[in-house]
Amino acid sequence: MSQITTHILDTALGKPAQGVSVRLSLWEAGQWQVLAQGVTNSDGRVVGLLPNEQILAAGRYQMHFALECYLQSMQQPIFYPYAEIVFQITGEGQHYHIPLLLSPFGYSTYRGS
């Protein structure tokens, strides 16, 4: 399994959000460096965001969720065209699950398992 995983649940519709572009970046030298990207599947997950054997260094990371096209396709209002979740990891190889719970006028996240 990838060290960083994610999924998106559309809480307004009560189902996974399919077709959302997701980008993982590392804060390095004063800017975001893109490490990986993918698109959510029918289960709202990005499978294989990173190679299974890749261990990330300690640092500050960002998940960028491009929401506008998805919300438009679901005929929902577009208040948040994207969401960015910034988090820090220890570099010890632990698994980090960064889910996004989405509705047209709000979103939330937590460290999942």
Side-chain angles (χ1 to χ4, degrees), residues 46-83:
V46 177
V47 177
L49 184 61
L50 295 169
N52 292 348
E53 65 280 355
Q54 184 174 358
I55 303 296
L56 298 174
R60 186 167 294 171
Y61 292 82
Q62 176 194 78
M63 296 286 287
H64 175 96
F65 300 90
L67 303 173
E68 187 169 11
C69 290
Y70 170 77
L71 292 169
Q72 188 174 38
S73 73
M74 295 292 112
Q75 299 178 341
Q76 294 187 45
I78 301 167
F79 187 70
Y80 294 109
Y82 62 89

Side-chain angles (χ1 to χ4, degrees), residues 25-28 32 35 57-62 86-89:
S25 300
L26 166 66
W27 184 253
E28 187 173 60
W32 291 111
L35 298 178
R60 186 167 294 171
Y61 292 82
Q62 176 194 78
V86 177
F87 57 98
Q88 294 188 154
I89 68 171

Side-chain angles (χ1 to χ4, degrees), residues 8-111:
I8 305 173
L9 178 63
D10 185 328
T11 59
L13 300 177
K15 64 180 191 174
Q18 181 177 2
V20 177
S21 294
V22 177
R23 185 175 64 230
L24 174 66
S25 300
L26 166 66
W27 184 253
E28 187 173 60
Q31 60 186 351
W32 291 111
Q33 304 292 328
V34 176
L35 298 178
Q37 48 195 4
V39 177
T40 57
N41 63 15
S42 61
D43 197 30
R45 299 178 186 280
V46 177
V47 177
L49 184 61
L50 295 169
N52 292 348
E53 65 280 355
Q54 184 174 358
I55 303 296
L56 298 174
R60 186 167 294 171
Y61 292 82
Q62 176 194 78
M63 296 286 287
H64 175 96
F65 300 90
L67 303 173
E68 187 169 11
C69 290
Y70 170 77
L71 292 169
Q72 188 174 38
S73 73
M74 295 292 112
Q75 299 178 341
Q76 294 187 45
I78 301 167
F79 187 70
Y80 294 109
Y82 62 89
E84 292 178 331
I85 309 302
V86 177
F87 57 98
Q88 294 188 154
I89 68 171
T90 64
E92 298 170 356
Q94 295 180 38
H95 174 245
Y96 296 88
H97 184 64
I98 315 296
L100 185 71
L101 304 176
L102 174 65
S103 70
F105 297 106
Y107 61 86
S108 65
T109 188
Y110 55 94
R111 180 179 175 186

